[in-house]
Amino acid sequence: MRHALEEAGLAPRTGDVPVGAVVLGPDGVVIGRGRNEREATGDPTAHAEVLAIRDAAKAVGTWRLTGCTLVVTLEPCTMCAGAIVLSRLDRVVYGARDEKGGAVGSLWDVVRDRRLNHRPEVIQGVLADECSALLTRFFRSGDFGARPHVG
């Protein structure tokens, strides 16, 4: 989670919400990194999880991330939960819950829906206070979404 928090800390430089993610290979080594880049790129799909999954898939040379773990500072949304299922990640570890849009246990539980063909293990609440504090500081600062698209 410390690696994901480092990524999250870089996101506000471009006006992005501080969410960071890493993908760990089966041996525990970081093989993918991502942080929110929607403001930086003007891409609505540029969530930390999606970017980390893309990075990991490129690193291993396949879209199947079997044996891998996604670690993210904020509970994934429905789009990211879908990407988690489709990439066949074995595990999702997240910090802060997202009561307004979380899709891994809070508002929805997409990744554990028994109708799907793949259901990763979920571990929640890892360094939750630190992950939440980063988001709270960002939104209290009022310095978000004000930067122009730079991509």
Side-chain angles (χ1 to χ4, degrees):
M1 187 61 76
R2 296 270 179 227
H3 293 293
L5 280 163
E6 287 174 20
E7 288 294 322
L10 298 172
R13 293 179 184 175
T14 56
D16 281 287
V17 176
V19 177
V22 294
V23 175
L24 306 175
D27 58 358
V29 173
V30 175
I31 60 170
R33 295 178 175 275
R35 63 182 166 271
N36 276 359
E37 294 184 6
R38 292 188 311 169
E39 297 297 330
T41 63
D43 179 355
T45 68
H47 287 205
E49 301 94 323
V50 169
L51 298 177
I53 289 168
R54 287 177 185 163
D55 195 36
K58 184 176 180 181
V60 298
T62 181
W63 62 269
R64 287 182 182 90
L65 297 177
T66 306
C68 297
T69 300
L70 174 73
V71 181
V72 60
T73 58
L74 180 64
E75 179 182 358
C77 69
T78 54
M79 175 183 68
C80 295
I84 289 163
V85 170
L86 293 173
S87 64
R88 306 300 194 267
L89 284 157
D90 279 7
R91 188 171 307 98
V92 179
V93 177
Y94 71 86
R97 287 175 58 96
D98 184 353
E99 300 293 338
K100 294 180 181 178
V104 184
S106 292
L107 190 56
W108 295 288
D109 200 352
V110 172
V111 300
R112 291 181 280 204
D113 189 317
R114 294 194 180 278
R115 296 169 292 184
L116 298 175
N117 65 336
H118 179 74
R119 292 181 299 281
E121 174 187 7
V122 175
I123 300 168
Q124 61 186 27
V126 176
L127 298 180
D129 291 342
E130 287 182 53
C131 295
S132 293
L134 190 60
L135 290 160
T136 299
R137 278 194 307 273
F138 176 76
F139 286 111
R140 283 193 180 149
S141 76
D143 188 26
F144 50 89
R147 293 187 178 95
H149 169 67
V150 294

